[in-house]
Amino acid sequence: MTEDATPTSPEDLARHAEKMAKKKAARDKIMATKTGEKGLIIVHTGKGKGKSSAAFGMIFRHIAHGKKCAVVQFIKGAMSTGERDLILRHFSDLCEFHTMGEGFTWETQDKARDVAMAKTAWEKAKDLIRDPSNSMVLLDEINIAIRYDYIDLGEVVAFLRDEKPAMTHVVLTGRNAKEELLDIADLVTEMELIKHPFRSGIKAQLGVEF
Amino acid sequence: MTEDATPTSPEDLARHAEKMAKKKAARDKIMATKTGEKGLIIVHTGKGKGKSSAAFGMIFRHIAHGKKCAVVQFIKGAMSTGERDLILRHFSDLCEFHTMGEGFTWETQDKARDVAMAKTAWEKAKDLIRDPSNSMVLLDEINIAIRYDYIDLGEVVAFLRDEKPAMTHVVLTGRNAKEELLDIADLVTEMELIKHPFRSGIKAQLGVEF
């Protein structure tokens, strides 16, 4: 039985209350030092699932709080269509949505078009980020476009560092985020793949993957 | 310049198209073997952000597809209030929502009440999972309740393994997921913390953390 197991005596309960009161005091003291606010550069990367879903979760939080936000999808795949439909159908007044890419590059097999699409998406992204009425802008799968050199890493980093309004949050998702991007980011999460049902022959399923 | 950099000649473009056509053929061949469908046991764990957000993303996908789902929040904190408000306000016909806990245990300092709450939440969770009209049930922060022995790990594992309807997806979130749970899971993602703005004195912000 661990220290945290269900208590059986009044002494246990009292000890628990005291321990938790100390923990709360320590935590409150730490949190009191966290008073700053700023627009964050947030990166979700890694091979695991949830990079885009977690980003859309933040977009839904913004919508729930009545704050304006925007999404640019750099790669149009089968993924995230559920979220897109929901936003377009119910919340298009609060959240502008642009899907610029035409699918992963191995689907389209037309690099010149892919490059042109990515560049158009990046121009739109800059406009949306510059607009101070947007509280959060999600650049979904932009890391893929950067990785294939469809858009220039140096330009993205310089823009976010020098031109992003101070209070605007920008979220960048996709595998293989570049070091230079991680360097300027405030919040980086790596989604690590531990176990995946594809390995047991299970296909992508509605409501889970899309 | 890498092999994937922006092409400048017709030869480059043709080579790219050929390479991508091969990649697509290989990918299509692999994906054709993934034909199974089943209700998944999905775990989001790790110290990073996005565990609950990514889970709510899947809930929103279900809602977008008009499929019934449910959420039981085992720990009521400041977190996920945005998603909860959005669901209660707009989608309560499709998604049942129960917030059972009363905050993290160091906030309440009353273990007996925490244990009782967690047990009630688990009973509700079982009812929702047993109801075959629910396509997905999210047990948010249940790993915390298991870790503190508020609910019994063995019972949770046995229930998911033996009583979960075959096509129902169950998502379990929270740090420190137990090995026994990972063993029976189909899809496990660990959200790893790479960089966090708390370290620079930035507080939890609306639309990002809640």
Side-chain angles (χ1 to χ4, degrees):
Chain A
M1 199 161 111
T2 71
E3 206 189 343
D4 287 304
T6 309
T8 49
S9 71
E11 290 74 24
D12 278 342
L13 291 170
R15 204 157 44 230
H16 174 81
E18 193 190 341
K19 188 175 143 200
M20 289 298 141
K22 275 191 192 147
K23 192 164 179 177
K24 176 168 164 55
R27 199 182 147 83
D28 288 350
K29 196 171 162 188
I30 291 167
M31 294 314 283
T33 67
K34 316 298 182 194
T35 52
E37 280 195 311
K38 67 180 271 204
L40 303 176
I41 298 174
I42 300 172
V43 177
H44 292 176
T45 192
K47 292 185 177 172
K49 274 177 57 66
K51 296 182 287 293
S52 293
S53 295
F56 276 106
M58 285 187 286
I59 287 289
F60 284 120
R61 286 177 181 176
H62 272 76
I63 292 170
H65 292 301
K67 290 178 91 82
K68 270 196 72 186
C69 50
V71 179
V72 180
Q73 285 194 304
F74 281 77
I75 307 287
K76 177 183 160 192
M79 307 301 137
S80 308
T81 52
E83 287 95 333
R84 185 176 55 210
D85 293 351
L86 205 66
I87 290 170
L88 292 177
R89 219 181 296 146
H90 296 277
F91 309 115
S92 56
D93 53 327
L94 275 173
C95 184
E96 223 179 299
F97 205 109
H98 299 271
T99 301
M100 310 299 282
E102 285 284 310
F104 284 99
T105 189
W106 54 86
E107 294 289 339
T108 65
Q109 300 158 35
D110 182 344
K111 184 156 182 174
R113 196 180 59 177
D114 288 350
V115 171
M117 289 274 181
K119 289 195 190 305
T120 308
W122 173 238
E123 291 306 314
K124 173 55 75 180
K126 284 191 286 188
D127 288 347
L128 292 166
I129 294 168
R130 280 192 191 110
D131 177 354
S133 69
N134 283 320
S135 167
M136 174 175 277
V137 179
L138 165 56
L139 309 181
D140 195 38
E141 300 288 9
I142 190 173
N143 290 337
I144 309 282
I146 295 174
R147 190 196 166 195
Y148 280 100
D149 285 330
Y150 291 177
I151 52 181
D152 184 65
L153 171 63
E155 197 195 321
V156 173
V157 167
F159 179 82
L160 292 175
R161 195 187 47 211
D162 304 332
E163 293 192 52
K164 182 183 82 62
M167 294 311 293
T168 305
H169 304 294
V170 176
V171 189
L172 305 97
T173 75
R175 291 180 182 209
N176 301 108
K178 298 283 186 186
E179 275 309 310
E180 293 87 337
L181 187 59
L182 302 184
D183 286 345
I184 60 156
D186 302 289
L187 173 54
V188 178
T189 307
E190 183 170 337
M191 277 66 173
E192 223 189 313
L193 178 69
I194 306 289
K195 212 181 203 184
H196 200 292
F198 282 5
R199 290 184 189 159
S200 332
I202 301 296
K203 68 178 181 184
Q205 294 179 96
L206 184 141
V208 179
E209 271 88 7
F210 57 94
Chain B
M1 198 161 112
T2 72
E3 207 189 344
D4 287 301
T6 310
T8 47
S9 72
E11 291 74 20
D12 276 344
L13 290 170
R15 205 161 39 234
H16 175 80
E18 194 190 339
K19 188 176 144 200
M20 288 299 141
K22 274 191 192 148
K23 193 163 177 176
K24 178 168 163 55
R27 200 182 146 83
D28 287 350
K29 197 170 161 187
I30 292 168
M31 294 313 284
T33 67
K34 316 298 183 194
T35 53
E37 280 195 311
K38 67 179 273 203
L40 303 176
I41 298 173
I42 300 171
V43 177
H44 292 177
T45 191
K47 291 184 178 173
K49 273 178 57 67
K51 296 183 289 292
S52 293
S53 295
F56 276 106
M58 287 187 285
I59 288 289
F60 284 120
R61 287 176 180 177
H62 271 76
I63 291 170
H65 293 301
K67 290 177 92 81
K68 268 196 72 183
C69 50
V71 179
V72 180
Q73 286 193 304
F74 281 77
I75 307 287
K76 178 183 159 192
M79 307 302 137
S80 308
T81 52
E83 286 96 332
R84 185 176 58 208
D85 292 352
L86 205 66
I87 290 170
L88 292 176
R89 219 181 295 146
H90 296 276
F91 310 114
S92 57
D93 53 327
L94 276 174
C95 185
E96 223 178 299
F97 205 110
H98 299 271
T99 302
M100 309 300 283
E102 287 283 311
F104 285 99
T105 189
W106 53 86
E107 293 289 341
T108 66
Q109 301 160 33
D110 181 344
K111 183 157 185 174
R113 196 182 60 179
D114 288 350
V115 171
M117 290 273 182
K119 289 193 190 305
T120 307
W122 172 237
E123 291 306 313
K124 173 56 73 181
K126 285 192 285 188
D127 288 346
L128 292 166
I129 294 168
R130 282 193 190 109
D131 177 354
S133 69
N134 283 320
S135 167
M136 175 175 275
V137 179
L138 164 56
L139 310 181
D140 194 40
E141 301 287 11
I142 190 173
N143 290 338
I144 308 281
I146 294 173
R147 188 195 169 197
Y148 280 100
D149 285 333
Y150 290 177
I151 52 181
D152 184 65
L153 170 64
E155 198 195 320
V156 172
V157 168
F159 178 82
L160 292 176
R161 193 186 50 212
D162 304 331
E163 293 191 52
K164 182 184 81 61
M167 295 310 293
T168 306
H169 304 295
V170 176
V171 189
L172 305 98
T173 75
R175 292 181 182 206
N176 302 109
K178 297 283 186 185
E179 273 310 307
E180 293 87 336
L181 187 60
L182 301 184
D183 286 344
I184 61 157
D186 302 290
L187 173 54
V188 178
T189 308
E190 184 170 335
M191 277 66 174
E192 225 188 312
L193 177 70
I194 307 289
K195 212 181 203 186
H196 201 290
F198 282 4
R199 290 182 189 158
S200 332
I202 301 297
K203 68 179 180 182
Q205 293 178 96
L206 184 141
V208 179
E209 272 90 6
F210 56 95

